[in-house]
Amino acid sequence: MPEPSSIITHHSSFVLGLIGYPLGHSLSPKIHAAALSACGLQGTYSLFSIPPEDKQGLKDLLARVRGGEITGLNVTIPHKQNVIELMDELTPTAQAIGAVNTIYMRENKLVGDNTDAPGFLADLKKFIGSRELGIGKRKSAIILGAGGSARAVVYALCNDGWNVTLVARRIEQAKKLADSFANLEVRVVEYSSFIFNLSSFALIVNTTPLGMTPNIETSPLPENIIFAENALIYDLVYNPRETKLVKDARAQGLYATTGLGMLIEQAALAFEKWTDHNPPRETLYQAVQP
C-alpha cells in the first residue's frame, strides 16, 4: 500500500481578517463567520486596525500572509492604495481600478485583487432584476464622488456598457480618475456647477460617505430634488439601513437600495478566492440583520 500523503492540500483552519483604520463598525467579522459556518469550515476572521502612517505594521502583517500564518485579508480605507506597492502581483481588475480589497497567496506570490467591482455589479443586477430602465432604456448613470469606491463603480459600469457621468466636489481628483480609465468614456462635472437635472439618468450611485452614521440627516443631493421617472438609486452607504438619499427616493415612489448587498457580494467573492467555497448569500444577509 502506498504511504498516505503527508501534504495537506486544504487548510484545516482558515485565518482571515480585515486591514483598515478605524474598524469599529465593521460588519465583515459577522459576514465571514457566517460564511465559514455555512460552508462547514474552521476558521477565524480578525480586525487588524493599522493607522495610515504605520507602514511597518502593514509590512509585518503582509509578511504573515507570505509565511502562511494568515490565509487571506480584506483591505478597506485607508489602505486600498497603500498596499499596492507591497504586492508581488495585481489581478487585471485590481490593476485597472488602482485599488486592492482582497489579498491572498498564489504560486508563492502575494496577490492583490479587487472584488468591489464585480461585487457591486452582481448586486446591481439583482437590484435591477427584470425592471425596465426608464429614459428610453438608455443605460446612463451618474456617480456622485470620486474616491476609492467610485473607481470600482466606474470600472464596473463602463465595462457593463453604461454611459457614466462623474459628479464630484474635488474636480482634479475626478479628472484624474477619468484619465486613469483612458479606454473608457467617463464624463466629469464639478458638483458646484452641476445643474441637478436628473431627468436623463436611469441610475444614480452615491459613492460618497454623506448620509453615513452618525450624520444620517445629510444627503449627497440637494433638498427636494426631483428624480427621473423610473430612476434607480443605489447608495453605497449601508449604515444606517435606510439613508436619507434612499428615503427621499422611496418617498417619490422609486426603487432605491443601500450598499449592504455590495458589501455581502464583495465579501462572498473574496471568501471564495481564499477557501474555494461559495457561501450562500441569504445566510450572510441574515448574519448582519439588526
Side-chain angles (χ1 to χ4, degrees), residues 29-50:
K30 283 183 177 174
I31 295 171
H32 288 284
L36 286 162
S37 173
C39 297
L41 301 172
Q42 294 292 314
T44 56
Y45 189 97
S46 309
L47 297 177
F48 298 102
S49 186
I50 298 178

Side-chain angles (χ1 to χ4, degrees), residues 23-239:
L23 292 174
H25 299 295
S26 175
L27 293 174
S28 295
K30 283 183 177 174
I31 295 171
H32 288 284
L36 286 162
S37 173
C39 297
L41 301 172
Q42 294 292 314
T44 56
Y45 189 97
S46 309
L47 297 177
F48 298 102
S49 186
I50 298 178
E53 64 283 357
D54 186 5
K55 202 150 185 196
Q56 193 54 49
L58 210 50
K59 284 182 179 165
D60 292 347
L61 192 63
L62 295 175
R64 292 168 65 188
V65 183
R66 284 184 193 280
E69 187 191 330
I70 294 174
T71 318
L73 293 169
N74 282 133
V75 187
T76 188
I77 310 168
H79 296 301
K80 287 186 178 190
Q81 266 109 17
N82 301 351
V83 297
I84 291 178
E85 60 180 14
L86 304 172
M87 297 295 116
D88 298 329
E89 199 174 276
L90 293 179
T91 62
T93 309
Q95 180 119 35
I97 295 169
V100 164
N101 83 326
T102 304
I103 295 171
Y104 47 80
M105 290 295 288
R106 279 286 181 282
E107 294 162 1
N108 291 325
K109 284 184 180 157
L110 192 63
V111 177
D113 201 341
N114 190 307
T115 64
D116 280 333
F120 166 73
L121 203 56
D123 190 57
L124 179 71
K125 291 195 162 170
K126 264 187 222 169
F127 171 57
I128 294 175
S130 57
R131 291 183 193 122
E132 290 289 326
L133 288 175
I135 313 142
K137 323 264 184 308
R138 263 211 3 263
K139 287 172 84 170
S140 64
I142 184 167
I143 297 174
L144 306 168
S149 23
R151 299 185 70 84
V153 170
V154 168
Y155 178 79
L157 288 176
C158 286
N159 282 309
D160 194 48
W162 289 77
N163 294 327
V164 171
T165 299
L166 200 57
V167 175
R169 293 177 199 271
R170 289 181 288 185
I171 196 71
E172 287 312 313
Q173 188 184 16
K175 282 180 175 156
K176 206 169 151 193
L177 192 162
D179 291 346
S180 65
F181 294 120
N183 55 335
L184 305 175
E185 188 112 347
V186 181
R187 202 170 132 237
V188 174
V189 183
E190 186 164 10
Y191 185 91
S192 59
S193 63
F194 184 64
I195 310 305
F196 277 92
N197 173 6
L198 300 178
S199 60
S200 57
F201 297 103
L203 174 68
I204 296 152
V205 184
N206 174 40
T207 71
T208 78
L210 291 169
M212 190 185 283
T213 300
N215 305 311
I216 59 172
E217 287 312 310
T218 55
S219 165
L221 292 178
E223 280 297 323
N224 308 319
I225 192 93
I226 305 293
F227 298 100
E229 196 184 347
N230 293 345
L232 298 166
I233 319 300
Y234 195 110
D235 191 346
L236 261 60
V237 174
Y238 53 82
N239 182 7

Side-chain angles (χ1 to χ4, degrees), residues 14-26:
F14 292 90
V15 181
L16 309 169
L18 171 68
I19 315 173
Y21 188 85
L23 292 174
H25 299 295
S26 175

Side-chain angles (χ1 to χ4, degrees), residues 25 27 30 211 213 216 235 237-244 246-247 250 256-260 263 285-290:
H25 299 295
L27 293 174
K30 283 183 177 174
T213 300
I216 59 172
D235 191 346
V237 174
Y238 53 82
N239 182 7
R241 295 305 163 90
E242 191 181 51
T243 59
K244 185 172 190 305
V246 166
K247 215 177 276 184
R250 286 176 178 164
T257 189
T258 67
L260 188 62
L263 179 76
Y285 270 108
Q286 283 163 3
V288 295
Q289 288 317 311

